[in-house]
Amino acid sequence: MSAITAIQNLLAAVFTTFWTPIFFAIFVAILTYALWPRNKAAFDEAARLPLREDDRP
């Protein structure tokens, strides 16, 4: 039973060590994309989509 616990602790440490920085980098990349000035016009247009009047009967 001790070997299983040791393996579980080792795997948890490895996943925490590698996945935490990877997910943090993905988060920073998404945040940078969302706040990049070049994308402002597209996001502003998308924000106005629900409020736009349709010409459908």
Side-chain angles (χ1 to χ4, degrees):
M1 196 67 161
S2 174
I4 294 174
T5 305
I7 292 172
Q8 182 180 9
N9 289 340
L10 177 66
L11 288 176
V14 168
F15 282 126
T16 301
T17 302
F18 289 116
W19 288 109
T20 300
I22 289 172
F23 282 124
F24 182 74
I26 291 170
F27 171 76
V28 169
I30 292 170
L31 191 64
T32 303
Y33 173 75
L35 297 177
W36 203 258
R38 182 182 61 182
N39 298 328
K40 183 176 180 5
F43 285 129
D44 285 343
E45 177 64 28
R48 285 190 297 271
L49 265 173
L51 305 174
R52 191 171 62 186
E53 294 283 333
D54 285 338
D55 293 332
R56 294 184 296 204

